[in-house]
Amino acid sequence: MIFDAFARIDPTEALIVHWPECQLNDAQTALLDELLNCIGYVGRAESWVEAKRLDDWNGEPNCFPGSTQIDQETGEIQTEPVQLYAPLTPDAYVNFQQQMQSGLALRKLKTSELKSIKKTLPISWLEAVSLDTADLQNAGWSAPPAAQKVLYQRPIQALKSSVASRAKPKPSPSADTVRYAVYGKPLMRELDTIRFAEHVRRAVMGKAKWTLGETAIPPLLTGHGLNADNRHCHAFYLPQADSNGLLDHVLIHVPAGIDGDMRRVFGALKTVKGFDGQEWRLMLEHIGQREDFENVSPIVQSASVWQSRTPYLHPWHCKKDLDVSAQIRRECRERQLAEPTEIRLLPTIKPYGRELRPIDFHRFRSKRGLMQPDTRGSFWQLTFAESVSGPLALGFGCHFGLGLFAPVKANE
């Protein structure tokens, strides 16, 4: 009839308690070994342990003293506080014991009560930290008098149940695309697509670092460490605007496919933060194949005519035989797409009733040192001999929403 919830640790796992600055002499080492041999349990009486001293340990603790840690890039809280008991120093205990004894003299207590409390306030610090729990409870202490609370930090997922992980995993259906709804006031404008895409990628990197570990972030998320012939198979972060030009969705497309680790990251992603403290909440709508999103996201549909939705910035310096249209054709070849049969320059676009020029959009990455041959940008309409499947994003910053094309319907 009692719901008794507690953390049960895997009996095959070891609990490491580490003092990195502590140096013991031979006598202290021998004493520690004797004390460890006397420890029968930690915490609950049924949690039997066998304690021993390690000569050395080079691991990383997952619970440590200090204040809450915050990821400086994403603003996400990385640790949760835990109050743990530690003994007072001998001097601090002497002061506490003297104050309590003075206070007892002023209180009107029964002889039995006074005797019970004084028994738990010995002069000796060693006796104070060795008191029996029953004596402390009889005296009415809610915490040991020779103890103090110390703030520690542990990972937020440290006590997450591992029961589900023991079950036989079900194979996940293949996927290459994930879509989120974006909530927040104010929403960013489509004119700032590249800025919001950078915020999203930064949030994904922070969540991947926290979920998988800093050294285990998939290259298909970072875009780094890939083969030269695999430059555009990593994630495209593509914000999407509503009819008012506000970014209310974001679609992440990974042409090479989304594996189990990436699913964990995308499933855990809940918020995106800007540089100025602005925060947007994300609601995961679906993880699946590109075709799953055709009814809600036109940029993943198939069409033979595509028109710029955001400015195209040519990725190479223009030369006599490599003008902008030639660069578009070259990019299509490198993406294993058929070359357009017609490439037409558009001076403006009018996606939601407002005429826009390329310079109306923000066109620069926040990452310093990037070579950017084109700073103005341009709009284009591409016609192919047969249907091409989206998303279609070309040029500089294409993985951050620049150079994004949308299909043109036959009646438009």
Side-chain angles (χ1 to χ4, degrees), residues 90 93-94 97-98 101 118 120-128:
Y93 173 71
V94 169
Q97 192 265 355
Q98 291 175 350
Q101 291 286 11
K118 285 187 174 182
T120 61
L121 292 170
I123 297 176
S124 167
W125 173 87
L126 184 58
E127 291 182 17

Side-chain angles (χ1 to χ4, degrees), residues 58-77:
N58 297 319
E60 288 292 331
N62 61 3
C63 187
F64 43 84
S67 56
T68 299
Q69 293 188 346
I70 299 177
D71 191 305
Q72 297 301 315
E73 289 190 356
T74 65
E76 293 185 345
I77 296 176

Side-chain angles (χ1 to χ4, degrees), residues 296-318:
V296 295
S297 182
I299 65 170
V300 300
Q301 294 175 359
S302 298
S304 58
V305 182
W306 294 79
Q307 181 175 295
S308 291
R309 182 78 190 204
T310 59
Y312 171 80
L313 276 67
H314 56 79
W316 301 288
H317 290 285
C318 287

